[in-house]
Amino acid sequence: MLNKFDPEIYKALRKEIEKQKNTINLIPSENIVSKNVLKIVGSIFTNKYAEGYPGKRYYGGCKFVDIVEKVAIERACKLFNSEHANVQPHSGSQANMAVYFSILKPGDKILAMDISSGGHLTHGVKVNFSGMLYNTCFYSVDKETELINYDKVREIALKENPKLIICGSSSYSRIIEFEKFSQIAKEINAYLLADIAHIAGLIIGNLHPTPIGYADFITSTTHKTLRGPRGGLILCKKEFKERIDSLVIPGIQGGPLVHVIAAKAVAFKEAMTKKFKKYQIQIIKNCKKLCEELQKRGYRIVSGGTDNHLFVIDLRDKGINGLFAQEILEKVGIITNKNLIPFDPLPPSITSGIRIGTPCITSRGMKEKEMEKIAEWIDETLKNKGNEKILKDIKKKIRRFASEYPIYPE
Ligand code: DSN
C-alpha cells in the first residue's frame, strides 16, 4: 500500500484531497474530472509505449492502444466538426509548438495578443521557445474598452505582414470573433491559429462561436472547460494532417501518453452528452453572477464584465496587488491566481489583478446562490486583510461550506 511504502507522497496526496474538498477553487484553467476520467487516467495504459499512430507503430503489442487512439480521434473530430484531430500532444504548449514547426521557420513573424491583454506564454513571449525562435509582434486590447479592436489588429497585420496570426487567450473574458481574424489573415495571406484551450467546452456547448471553418489550425488543452485529463489537442483541415502528425511524432514528441489519450476519449464522450451542455451553460451563469456580485461590492472588472467562464479583477483602486490578494484569499480557502491586467504597471510576478473562473466550482454543483456567498467572502477577506480573527472565522465558514460539494463528480 502506498501509505506504508511512501508515506511522504501519500500524505501529500491526502492533504491535496483535503484541500480540494475544503476550499473554493476559482482558477479558470483548472477543473475536476469525472470518476470515469480519473479511473482511466490511472489505468495500466500507462505501461504501454506506442510511438507512431494507429496501424503504424514502432512497437508491437499496440492492438488495444490503436483502438483507444482511433476512438479518441474520431470523437474529437465529431465533437468539433473537424476534418482531422491529433490527440497526442502532451500539453497545449506542445500542440502550439507542433503547429509552429509545421509552418514556420526560425525568424518568421507571428502576430499574437500581448500577455497583459490575455495572450499566452507560448504565443511568442520572449522567455518562451516561441519568442526565442520567432519574431513576434503583438496586438493589445483597446485601452478604453479593454476589448479586441479588430481594426487595430488589421492595421498591425498589414504593417507587419506576419506569416501566422494567433487568436485565443488565457484571460480575455469576451467573445473572440474568429471570422474577423480569418478575414484579416486571408487579406495578408497568413495562417490563422485559434488557441481555444480555455473555451473548448463552451464551443462544444455552442456557447461561443467555433473557429472551425475560419482557422487553419486549432489547438487546445483538454483539461480546462473541456473537463478531461491534462493534455493537448490539435484540430486541422485534412490538407495539414500529414504535416501536423509528423511534427508531433517524430518531430517534437516520443511515446504518446496512452492512459491520457484513453482519458481524453472518455472526456470527449462525456462532452457529447446533454449533461455537458447544461454544465457549460451553468459555468457561464455562475461566472456572470459572481462577476455582478463583485461589481455590486465595488470591484472593477476588466472590460466591464464577462461572456465566458472567467474575468479579471483590477485591484489597483483597492490599494493591493494581485500577489497579495492571491495569498490572502488562499489563507481563507479561496484559490485564485494573480493575473496581469491590460497595460499592467506591475510585473507578472506581482500583477495588479486576480483572475476568477467558475469551471471547477460548477463541476462541484454550485449555482448562482452560492456565487453570492463566494463574492461576499472574497470581499470580506480583502476588506479585513489585517484582522486575523475575522479571517479565521471566514476560513471556518468556507471549509464547512466547500466540504458539502463533491470533488469526484459522476
Ligand atoms: N496555465 C494556463 C492558464 O492558467 O491559463 C495556461 O497555460
Side-chain angles (χ1 to χ4, degrees):
M1 291 302 273
L2 184 66
N3 57 347
K4 293 249 166 60
F5 175 71
D6 196 340
E8 234 176 324
I9 295 300
Y10 180 77
K11 265 190 214 151
L13 172 64
R14 295 302 319 169
K15 289 275 179 208
E16 179 64 24
I17 292 170
E18 215 178 282
K19 187 207 76 190
Q20 291 197 17
K21 192 160 183 280
N22 297 328
T23 59
I24 297 167
N25 184 358
L26 298 176
I27 295 180
S29 48
E30 293 182 7
N31 211 328
I32 49 173
V33 296
S34 70
K35 284 180 189 158
N36 283 333
V37 168
L38 197 56
K39 191 166 176 190
I40 197 79
V41 86
S43 72
I44 55 164
F45 276 125
T46 194
N47 297 342
K48 189 69 197 104
Y49 248 125
E51 281 163 332
Y53 289 100
K56 287 173 283 175
R57 304 283 187 187
Y58 293 90
Y59 289 81
C62 288
K63 210 159 122 187
F64 305 113
V65 164
D66 278 4
I67 295 174
V68 165
E69 187 166 350
K70 265 196 213 155
V71 168
I73 293 169
E74 280 164 20
R75 287 182 187 164
C77 287
K78 192 168 170 204
L79 206 51
F80 290 97
N81 195 22
S82 176
E83 289 179 13
H84 179 59
N86 188 305
V87 295
Q88 290 198 16
H90 300 330
S91 69
S93 298
Q94 266 134 327
N96 285 343
M97 184 186 259
V99 170
Y100 303 159
F101 281 15
S102 74
I103 49 169
L104 302 175
K105 290 190 300 299
D108 278 349
K109 197 175 264 185
I110 296 177
L111 172 61
M113 185 184 242
D114 88 279
I115 200 157
S116 82
S117 294
H120 189 252
L121 192 65
T122 58
H123 296 177
V125 176
K126 276 284 162 255
V127 293
N128 180 260
F129 80 91
S130 55
M132 294 174 198
L133 284 181
Y134 307 111
N135 178 7
T136 327
C137 50
F138 294 102
Y139 57 89
S140 304
V141 290
D142 182 83
K143 262 202 166 125
E144 289 294 306
T145 61
E146 298 175 316
L147 301 175
I148 297 171
N149 178 336
Y150 294 89
D151 293 335
K152 191 78 192 158
V153 176
R154 178 174 176 269
E155 199 182 303
I156 300 171
L158 291 177
K159 182 166 158 257
E160 299 284 350
N161 201 24
K163 197 159 173 193
L164 171 69
I165 299 179
I166 306 173
C167 54
S169 164
S170 289
S171 59
Y172 188 66
S173 63
R174 300 303 190 165
I175 298 293
I176 296 171
E177 297 186 48
F178 297 118
E179 188 175 357
K180 287 191 180 159
F181 272 109
S182 156
Q183 283 162 359
I184 297 167
K186 281 211 177 93
E187 197 177 342
I188 59 162
N189 206 19
Y191 291 107
L192 180 65
L193 163 64
D195 182 339
I196 59 165
H198 267 264
I199 54 174
L202 305 180
I203 290 172
I204 292 166
N206 286 321
L207 300 163
H208 188 290
T210 175
I212 291 282
Y214 298 117
D216 300 293
F217 303 93
I218 298 167
T219 54
S220 185
T221 53
T222 46
H223 50 272
K224 297 188 175 94
T225 47
L226 185 41
R227 206 166 71 174
R230 307 196 74 78
L233 171 71
I234 304 172
L235 305 168
C236 64
K237 294 181 192 147
K238 269 216 177 93
E239 62 181 288
F240 299 116
K241 173 183 186 305
E242 306 300 329
R243 265 201 266 177
I244 284 295
D245 284 356
S246 65
L247 245 310
V248 173
I249 158 95
I252 62 165
Q253 289 190 172
L257 308 176
V258 180
H259 56 305
V260 178
I261 293 174
K264 285 175 188 173
V266 174
F268 295 154
K269 186 159 190 177
E270 289 175 354
M272 289 170 182
T273 60
K274 279 195 186 128
K275 195 171 155 196
F276 185 81
K277 163 116 191 178
K278 264 176 91 179
Y279 163 61
Q280 298 297 326
I281 292 171
Q282 193 62 47
I283 291 179
I284 295 184
K285 280 188 186 166
N286 284 353
C287 198
K288 282 185 186 291
K289 179 71 177 167
L290 186 52
C291 183
E292 280 163 22
E293 289 296 323
L294 286 163
Q295 283 174 316
K296 265 193 223 163
R297 290 165 175 80
Y299 291 87
R300 192 187 91 76
I301 308 299
V302 169
S303 89
T306 178
D307 302 321
N308 58 25
H309 63 302
L310 62 75
F311 56 89
V312 176
I313 308 177
D314 174 0
L315 294 162
R316 286 173 305 173
D317 59 357
K318 304 287 173 208
I320 51 175
N321 61 49
L323 175 62
F324 180 85
Q326 177 191 308
E327 287 177 352
I328 192 103
L329 287 168
E330 182 159 357
K331 221 169 161 180
V332 299
I334 297 176
I335 314 295
T336 61
N337 72 280
K338 59 181 182 291
N339 208 91
L340 293 168
I341 58 166
F343 313 100
D344 204 320
L346 296 176
S349 55
I350 302 176
T351 80
S352 299
I354 45 168
R355 190 176 61 153
I356 302 278
T358 51
C360 201
I361 50 175
T362 309
S363 289
R364 294 186 70 184
M366 296 183 199
K367 298 222 162 97
E368 287 93 324
K369 77 173 174 0
E370 285 89 342
M371 299 307 115
E372 281 178 41
K373 284 189 182 166
I374 295 172
E376 186 57 26
W377 283 324
I378 292 175
D379 187 35
E380 272 183 42
T381 303
L382 296 181
K383 270 186 184 150
N384 293 289
K385 47 191 176 287
N387 191 329
E388 287 300 321
K389 194 182 162 303
I390 295 183
L391 295 184
K392 246 187 172 166
D393 203 43
I394 298 173
K395 185 178 176 175
K396 252 197 229 155
K397 282 188 200 156
I398 287 178
R399 194 184 166 87
R400 216 176 307 127
F401 164 85
S403 66
E404 299 284 316
Y405 296 87
I407 55 164
Y408 300 106
E410 292 299 327

